[in-house]
Amino acid sequence: MKKRVFNKEVEHEEKILSALLAGLMAFSMLTACGSSGAKSSSDASSKTADGSGKTKLSLWTVFTGSDGDILKKIIKDYNETNKDNIEVEVDIMPNDTLQSKLPTAVSTSTGPSFVLMGIEYLKQYAENDCLEEINDFWDKSGLKKDNFLSNVISKSYVGDKQYGVPMQYNLQYLYYNKDLFKAAGISNPPKTLEELRDDAQKLTDKAKGVYGLALPKDYGYYVQYLWGNGGDVVDVDKNKNMINSNENIKTLEWIQNMMKEGVSPQCTAAEADTMFQSGQVAMCMSGPWNINALNGLGMNYGIAAIPSGSSGAFSAEGGCAYMLPKGADQKTRDAVYKFMAYWLNDSTLKEWSMKNGFPVWSNSLMNDSEIKSNEILTEVSKASTIGRDWHLGYKYGSQIDKDVMNPLMEKVLAGEDVRNALKDASNSLDGILKQ
């Protein structure tokens, strides 16, 4: 049971990497999207309505896990209750399959009515004329854009043009074992990086085989520590290498010192999850996909925002959005807008968050009594204000993870000289940016 649970984290990280690699291959075909994607309205409408006058919408998406069952249930409820004679048919497939199929489907007008996929793809699809602008969505739907967190909404824009409607949003969070905190005399989770280190030291009990904090060698978001202390890796707008800085040297030496102090085991992210579940690790960082597994184990745990450094608190963000492929006619657009609006009503967003553990990003829903009484949802939702873009949609993003950050952190955590490790990482990053 536990092995199956912690392998979800492995699968999640592997899916991200394979998806990004597949996406890069798919984007080589994107230039064809705008050339023949805009068909006549009669061509487009013929695939959305049957003989009875019912408007049928096809949705392609990538929710292949248990969350896909929840999505299908919500869509089923919509089909049975909406008053607009709309029926949504969902086709769930692996992300690499969707990315390989969609560009050609859009260019030949054989694609879905709308798609649901990671926000990391939106910019490149939009820039290659594969998506419809939907700037009129808020006026047409009657929804108030300011009811939703602006940092979430902004991920569906390229410049001042809107190309998507958010479906879900997520960050990285600090998970902590409440029983171990109580035993160590610690009342609250750390709010600063220095408190994180102090707490990790207090929580470490080598005699019992308990570590205060997991620092996995393959964790994909160590950039959060760098951001917290004023550092960075790359300026994606300028393709500028920023990794070899004094700020990063200090932060990485600080991380390395924690390893030398023995507050963390030598582990992978999957092993860290397992050790957290078994009470061998008191704190670890991960996304919201672990929440249901931990609840199922009956674990006494809490969640908090990533602690702040000298320059603030930041967390790498992600999420998914609904998007309208190029060539959609007005009938399709209107029907898709109605489903998108349905998704954004508080009852639908509440169902998704309550069943999946993903954060709430609707201001009105944050005041819901059931949401407010759910400690975990309240904390992950509060943390949603510190999200920061970690190369979302950047063409070199997956390569930077694989060839720069992963080798760098392996060296740092293994005790190698930080300055030399950063020089090597900087040289690798220069090579990537010069492609």
Side-chain angles (χ1 to χ4, degrees):
M1 174 67 177
K2 288 183 179 179
K3 185 174 182 179
R4 181 183 66 81
V5 170
F6 83 72
N7 276 343
K8 285 186 177 181
E9 179 73 15
V10 179
E11 292 168 1
H12 180 82
E13 299 296 336
E14 289 178 345
K15 283 179 181 178
I16 291 176
L17 180 57
S18 63
L20 290 172
L21 293 173
L24 289 173
M25 295 175 63
F27 286 130
S28 66
M29 300 184 287
L30 288 181
T31 54
C33 287
S35 61
S36 60
K39 301 294 184 181
S40 69
S41 60
S42 60
D43 288 338
S45 63
S46 66
K47 66 181 180 182
T48 62
D50 62 14
S52 67
K54 180 182 287 291
T55 299
K56 290 194 173 183
L57 300 176
S58 55
L59 170 65
W60 287 4
T61 191
V62 297
F63 283 74
T64 55
S66 59
D67 48 4
D69 294 330
I70 301 171
L71 176 64
K72 287 188 286 188
K73 192 264 183 187
I74 292 174
I75 290 174
K76 181 176 181 290
D77 290 345
Y78 174 77
N79 290 340
E80 293 175 351
T81 60
N82 81 84
K83 307 298 183 183
D84 299 302
N85 209 20
I86 296 171
E87 182 176 332
V88 178
E89 298 174 341
V90 61
D91 186 358
I92 297 177
M93 64 193 78
N95 188 71
D96 56 353
T97 300
L98 187 149
Q99 300 305 329
S100 65
K101 290 175 60 175
L102 187 59
T104 300
V106 173
S107 68
T108 58
S109 196
T110 58
S113 308
F114 63 130
V115 294
L116 170 59
M117 58 185 175
I119 55 176
E120 64 269 23
Y121 297 104
L122 183 144
K123 181 178 180 181
Q124 288 177 281
Y125 273 103
E127 290 180 343
N128 285 282
D129 201 26
C130 293
L131 299 177
E132 292 283 344
E133 293 178 29
I134 56 173
N135 285 26
D136 60 344
F137 170 75
W138 300 105
D139 289 337
K140 288 285 186 69
S141 67
L143 296 174
K144 295 180 178 179
K145 185 167 68 169
D146 60 6
N147 183 48
F148 305 96
L149 296 182
S150 59
N151 61 312
V152 178
I153 297 296
S154 67
K155 297 305 168 188
S156 291
Y157 281 76
V158 178
D160 60 354
K161 295 179 180 179
Q162 183 178 1
Y163 289 98
V165 168
M167 179 264 191
Q168 70 177 20
Y169 181 74
N170 60 269
L171 301 175
Q172 292 288 298
Y173 310 97
L174 177 70
Y175 287 73
Y176 62 99
N177 185 312
K178 289 186 174 182
D179 293 334
L180 292 178
F181 265 59
K182 183 177 181 180
I186 304 172
S187 302
N188 298 300
K191 293 184 177 180
T192 68
L193 291 178
E194 286 307 318
E195 289 178 0
L196 178 73
R197 181 179 182 175
D198 291 343
D199 288 349
Q201 293 171 338
K202 294 175 184 177
L203 290 158
T204 299
D205 189 336
K206 294 181 180 179
K208 295 182 179 179
V210 174
Y211 295 90
L213 173 67
L215 295 168
K217 62 182 180 180
D218 59 344
Y219 179 63
Y221 304 100
Y222 280 106
V223 68
Q224 297 168 154
Y225 292 92
L226 305 184
W227 286 339
N229 287 325
D232 208 340
V233 174
V234 60
D235 183 332
V236 298
D237 295 322
K238 299 178 180 178
N239 286 335
K240 182 180 179 181
N241 182 344
M242 303 181 70
I243 198 168
N244 196 4
S245 66
N246 289 330
E247 291 85 357
N248 288 349
I249 290 171
K250 292 178 181 178
T251 300
L252 293 176
E253 287 179 341
W254 177 84
I255 291 173
Q256 188 177 80
N257 286 335
M258 283 198 290
M259 282 297 294
K260 291 179 178 178
E261 292 162 0
V263 303
S264 172
Q266 294 184 359
C267 63
T268 64
E271 291 166 345
D273 285 345
T274 304
M275 295 180 76
F276 182 76
Q277 293 169 11
S278 64
Q280 294 173 281
V281 164
M283 295 184 287
C284 67
M285 294 183 186
S286 187
W289 40 85
N290 279 348
I291 290 174
N292 280 347
L294 294 174
N295 289 343
L297 293 171
M299 187 172 178
N300 187 22
Y301 74 101
I303 288 182
I306 300 297
S308 64
S310 59
S311 295
F314 304 95
S315 182
E317 58 190 354
C320 293
Y322 294 106
M323 306 170 205
L324 193 64
K326 194 72 173 181
D329 69 345
Q330 193 60 48
K331 183 180 177 109
T332 302
R333 179 186 291 261
D334 290 344
V336 170
Y337 278 10
K338 288 178 179 177
F339 176 80
M340 289 174 171
Y342 175 81
W343 187 270
L344 293 184
N345 73 61
D346 279 357
S347 61
T348 305
L349 291 177
K350 179 179 178 179
E351 181 176 359
W352 185 254
S353 290
M354 293 291 289
K355 290 182 177 179
N356 270 327
F358 274 68
V360 172
W361 45 279
S362 158
N363 291 319
S364 55
L365 185 55
M366 288 181 188
N367 293 317
D368 179 272
S369 59
E370 195 170 1
I371 294 292
K372 291 172 73 173
S373 65
N374 185 313
E375 179 187 345
I376 297 299
L377 269 184
T378 297
E379 291 305 318
V380 298
S381 300
K382 283 181 182 177
S384 294
T385 59
I386 65 169
R388 183 165 168 177
D389 189 329
W390 173 224
H391 60 52
L392 288 173
Y394 188 47
K395 59 183 176 181
Y396 300 130
S398 60
Q399 196 173 355
I400 290 172
D401 288 339
K402 178 177 179 291
D403 297 334
V404 178
M405 292 302 294
N406 287 354
L408 170 63
M409 294 313 302
E410 285 188 13
K411 293 175 182 178
V412 169
L413 295 171
E416 296 187 26
D417 183 81
V418 167
R419 293 175 183 270
N420 289 336
L422 267 177
K423 287 179 182 178
D424 291 342
S426 183
N427 289 336
S428 296
L429 183 53
D430 280 340
I432 293 171
L433 299 179
K434 290 176 181 178
Q435 293 181 89

